[in-house]
Amino acid sequence: MTATAIHSDTEAATRQAGAAAHGETAARPREFLAFKLGDEEYGIDILRVQEIRSYEPPTRLANVPPFIKGVVNLRGVIVPIVDMRLKLRLEEAKYDHFTVVIVLNIGSRVVGMVVDAVSDVITLGPGQLRPVPEFNASVDTDYLLAIGAVDDRMLILVDIEKLMTSPDMGLVEAPAQ
């Protein structure tokens, strides 16, 4: 692979990751909250995170998809709780003392997502972003920004706003474009 091709791949990944940055320059490093689902590590834009809370069983609602575990009352705000393992079709989660809810601000809505554990906040520059591999049409990768490479770690970077506003979630209206 030539230096130009490597630069083009990195530039494409940076553009893709920067698309959700709401006008930020793509060359700037960005911070991601890293969290675990099973053996894999994911990352979301730290600017979408309101707080991290310990898991408490939510109040179950009728007629919602299985990945929506229910709702909790967070200081007077009713917050829907999404189990990310179920949403991403991973094996069912076992809730333990590491299980947390990441409370997100998506548009004008507050949404919680259950993850196995939170690891840390990671700053990634453009040179650490790799493009998401292409798959056939049956694999939905629309909500993936890039793959972040940090030393020997790989982070699957998720466009959490795009995921949470997707029609199958039914939680938040997609922003008008």
Side-chain angles (χ1 to χ4, degrees):
M1 189 176 262
T2 67
T4 305
I6 292 169
H7 178 70
S8 294
D9 285 350
T10 303
E11 191 174 280
T14 301
R15 266 196 314 276
Q16 192 176 9
H22 303 297
E24 287 184 40
T25 306
R28 269 191 212 141
R30 293 183 52 201
E31 290 186 320
F32 295 89
L33 178 67
F35 61 90
K36 303 270 290 180
L37 291 174
D39 294 332
E40 302 306 322
E41 203 167 11
Y42 294 79
I44 57 172
D45 186 342
I46 192 71
L47 297 176
R48 296 280 172 230
V49 177
Q50 176 178 309
E51 64 185 277
I52 300 167
R53 304 175 51 85
S54 59
Y55 177 77
E56 61 183 69
T59 301
R60 186 83 181 127
L61 299 173
N63 292 328
V64 295
F67 56 82
I68 297 179
K69 299 307 285 182
V71 295
V72 296
N73 185 342
L74 181 62
R75 294 182 294 282
V77 176
I78 303 303
V79 178
I81 303 297
V82 176
D83 187 316
M84 292 303 288
R85 273 186 176 256
L86 297 177
K87 173 61 185 150
L88 299 177
R89 293 187 214 124
L90 302 172
E91 69 274 4
E92 189 148 354
K94 293 173 181 56
Y95 303 110
D96 60 23
H97 65 281
F98 292 112
T99 305
V100 295
V101 174
I102 302 172
V103 180
L104 306 165
N105 285 307
I106 305 292
S108 61
R109 186 89 189 256
V110 178
V111 178
M113 64 182 219
V114 179
V115 300
D116 293 345
V118 170
S119 6
D120 53 359
V121 175
I122 296 176
T123 302
L124 296 174
Q128 296 171 295
L129 302 176
R130 306 289 182 264
V132 176
E134 292 187 26
F135 296 96
N136 66 28
S138 67
V139 178
D140 182 13
T141 59
D142 285 348
Y143 59 88
L144 298 180
L145 291 172
I147 305 295
V150 182
D151 300 324
D152 61 342
R153 292 166 65 185
M154 283 195 357
L155 225 60
I156 302 165
L157 302 178
V158 177
D159 183 339
I160 198 64
E161 184 168 359
K162 193 173 205 175
L163 179 64
M164 291 296 178
T165 60
S166 65
D168 67 318
M169 293 292 277
L171 293 173
V172 181
E173 299 262 340
Q177 299 201 3

